[in-house]
Amino acid sequence: MSAIDTLPPLREVIRTHDLQARKSMGQNFLLDLNLTAKIARQAGDLSACDVLEIGPGPGGLTRGLLAEGARHVLAIEKDARCLPPLAEIADAYPGRLTVIEGDALKTDPLASLTPPVRVAANLPYNVGTELLVRWLTPPDWPPFWESLTLMFQREVAERIVAQPGGKAWGRLAILAQWRADARIVMQLPPEAFTPPPKVSSSVVHLQALPEPRYPANAAVLSRVVAAAFNQRRKMLRAALKGIAPDIEDRLNAAGIRPTDRAEQIPLEGFCALARIIEAP
């Protein structure tokens, strides 16, 4: 394996700092630096961008992003054990890496980022979906980020790029495809990680659109699709009865048959329904 920088191999870093991935933190470390550099390249040209990374762990993807020329990386890491190896990376790339110790769900990174910003991360499995939904549903658009290049369990990735009519079509696909172009750009087997997870992983790249594909209020759309897919076996008039007392009339006004099920409704239909529900 060829080196991407002058720092030690990640297995040596883990031994030196006695780092073991913790299941409670959703950690699975990616140790192949050539692979992390390949993931970094999926984010595009980073030379004029700040990059936000969540859960860098011992710094495999961090090193990939820096080696591929990222202008500056802001890494948010909850596990204090990982701070010393990240400090060593910061020393090797002077002025280009900032590390914040904290919970990504409770940390606002915007004050430490200079646009344009891209997000690239091997997200901890236990917070990945929640972070993605937050990034996709700010009240105002476009968001602080230009693109998201994120690793998920393969099943989650397939739900992000799914199309109407299949079992994978749901909340994640609607929120992602409403405001972004989403595609799977890499597949990774379990043995690429330490420890190997029980499932395969995929890297998804989402490019923010200048405007949403269809007008809708983000909070209302989120509430509608959450209710619709929470009970996907039910007809929509039953699944959405708690949204509005006259939901059947509103479904008809949106051009949706009340007897349809959520997986049958395309993105445009959900956006139309959200607009009608928001209207007084």
Side-chain angles (χ1 to χ4, degrees), residues 202-223:
S202 301
V203 178
V204 181
H205 182 77
L206 299 101
Q207 188 72 38
L209 297 171
E211 298 286 344
R213 285 193 161 87
Y214 307 101
N217 177 286
V220 176
L221 180 62
S222 296
R223 186 160 57 96

Side-chain angles (χ1 to χ4, degrees), residues 100-143:
I100 296 176
E101 181 183 3
D103 185 338
L105 294 174
K106 301 176 182 177
T107 303
D108 182 1
L110 296 186
S112 302
L113 292 167
T114 301
V117 176
R118 300 186 186 186
V119 181
N122 172 14
L123 291 173
Y125 285 155
N126 54 358
V127 299
T129 299
E130 183 173 351
L131 284 170
L132 175 62
V133 170
R134 288 188 184 189
W135 289 330
L136 291 170
T137 56
D140 300 315
W141 198 263

Side-chain angles (χ1 to χ4, degrees), residues 14-28:
I14 286 175
R15 284 196 302 269
T16 299
H17 294 279
D18 193 24
L19 287 175
Q20 300 297 326
R22 288 180 174 172
K23 186 176 181 181
S24 62
M25 290 186 167
Q27 293 173 328
N28 295 94

Side-chain angles (χ1 to χ4, degrees), residues 2 35 52 117 128 143 218 228 249 262 268 271:
S2 61
L35 196 52
L52 173 63
V117 176
D249 292 340
E268 183 178 8
C271 290

